[in-house]
Amino acid sequence: MTIHKGTAVVTGAGRGLGFGLAKGLLGRGWRVVAGVHGEATGELSQLQQQFDGALLIVSIDIGSDESVKQAAEQAVGWTEQIDLIVNNAGVLGDIERKLPDELDFDEMLHVMNVNSLGPLRVTQAFGSMLLRSERPIVANISSEAGSVGACGRDSWYGYCMSKAAVNMQSVLVHNQLKSVGGRVLVLHPGWVQSFMHGELNTSARLTIEQAAANVLGTIEDEADWPDVDGKPPYIDTEFKERLPW
Ligand SMILES: NC(=O)c1ccc[n+]([C@@H]2O[C@H](COP(=O)([O-])OP(=O)(O)OC[C@H]3O[C@@H](n4cnc5c(N)ncnc54)[C@H](OP(=O)(O)O)[C@@H]3O)[C@@H](O)[C@H]2O)c1
């Protein structure tokens, strides 16, 4: 069973996986509010011409209350209802330092602010529009790096902790949304050729298009992923398997 195609919000849509998700959603017949950090790229503007009237580009810094509120206000004039929020935007931060190296706690706070609080800011700001949907869905792009159960790393402090926190947030939001017929999906997109390390990482396994197709297939076939013990599904979208929390 696939879900009704309505209006989606995608953050971090300027490049990387977020761009692929925005493009993929438009191609699948969704209307899209594309949240861009900084200037919209030419590629995104081209999509506006290709999918006339189906794409709204808004500027958004998910680390800022004010910016997220302004983005939601812009969307209010364009759509009454949101059916899907894809919280995709994220940052990596330092992945090298181990104890007893000096750790950069200010940078970690930034990573936590963007990766953990950012998705909650977005879900909150677009929340009243989301609750107009009969089937409100929030897809949080987390990572296998947020799994406590699968953790074998001894560095990546900010990133892993921030993704573990977004996993907890996802359960909290899910507990509320399921009472009104909605749900949250917690998704690991696989190892993607994106800009997380500062420049395009061509050695990663999945192209943007492949990863976006996997993520969108999972979202649209969300009925394939029932809750277990009331928890939202935490899914590796490449290998189509559940991850341990
Ligand atoms: N790449 C992987 O292998 C992998 C694996 C697991 C999970 N993920 C997750 O997938 C998601 C997408 O990452 P990606 O791989 O596509 O990396 P990416 O190419 O670096 O893209 C991240 C996107 O987030 C945006 N962003 C960063 N800070 C932001 C902020 N404060 N407000 C709004 N947008 C912001 C970036 O915009 P600017 O570039 O303009 O800052 C960019 O569009 C992330 O949540 C990441 O954790 C990725």
Side-chain angles (χ1 to χ4, degrees), residues 12-18 37 60-63 88-91 114 141-143 159 163 188-192 194-196:
R15 64 178 183 170
L17 178 61
H37 191 218
I60 192 167
D61 174 357
I62 65 165
N88 163 79
V91 289
V114 173
I141 306 299
S142 179
S143 169
Y159 189 74
K163 292 297 189 181
H188 167 58
W191 190 26
V192 188
S194 70
F195 299 89
M196 280 238 108

Side-chain angles (χ1 to χ4, degrees), residues 120-192:
L120 187 56
R121 279 191 189 95
V122 173
T123 302
Q124 188 279 330
F126 287 87
S128 44
M129 281 186 276
L130 183 71
L131 290 174
R132 291 197 188 115
S133 175
E134 280 179 19
R135 184 66 170 151
I137 295 179
V138 175
N140 286 331
I141 306 299
S142 179
S143 169
E144 50 74 31
S147 168
V148 174
C151 182
R153 292 181 174 89
D154 59 0
S155 57
W156 298 54
Y157 278 96
Y159 189 74
C160 291
M161 291 192 299
S162 72
K163 292 297 189 181
V166 89
N167 289 355
M168 172 54 91
Q169 180 209 126
S170 302
V171 180
L172 296 168
V173 176
H174 184 72
N175 287 345
Q176 185 176 356
L177 277 190
K178 65 187 178 188
S179 66
V180 295
R183 72 186 311 203
V184 177
L185 299 162
V186 190
L187 306 177
H188 167 58
W191 190 26
V192 188

Side-chain angles (χ1 to χ4, degrees), residues 183 185 217-219 221-228 231-236 239-242:
R183 72 186 311 203
L185 299 162
T218 303
I219 293 172
D221 292 334
E222 48 105 15
D224 293 348
W225 298 101
D227 293 2
V228 174
K231 299 281 182 305
Y234 180 20
I235 308 163
D236 179 327
F239 295 108
K240 309 265 177 278
E241 61 188 23
R242 287 178 189 264

Side-chain angles (χ1 to χ4, degrees), residues 72-95:
E73 279 161 17
Q74 269 183 271
V76 166
W78 188 74
T79 182
E80 284 188 2
Q81 177 178 311
I82 299 290
D83 304 283
L84 169 68
I85 295 175
V86 188
N87 280 310
N88 163 79
V91 289
L92 187 58
D94 174 72
I95 57 171

Side-chain angles (χ1 to χ4, degrees), residues 34-40 56-61 67-68 70-72 74:
V36 173
H37 191 218
E39 294 293 308
L56 175 72
I57 300 174
V58 297
S59 174
I60 192 167
D61 174 357
S67 170
V68 173
Q70 281 175 8
Q74 269 183 271

Side-chain angles (χ1 to χ4, degrees), residues 34-62:
V36 173
H37 191 218
E39 294 293 308
T41 60
E43 275 187 302
L44 201 57
S45 305
Q46 274 174 17
L47 291 182
Q48 234 170 1
Q49 292 164 12
Q50 193 182 339
F51 297 95
D52 190 26
L55 174 63
L56 175 72
I57 300 174
V58 297
S59 174
I60 192 167
D61 174 357
I62 65 165

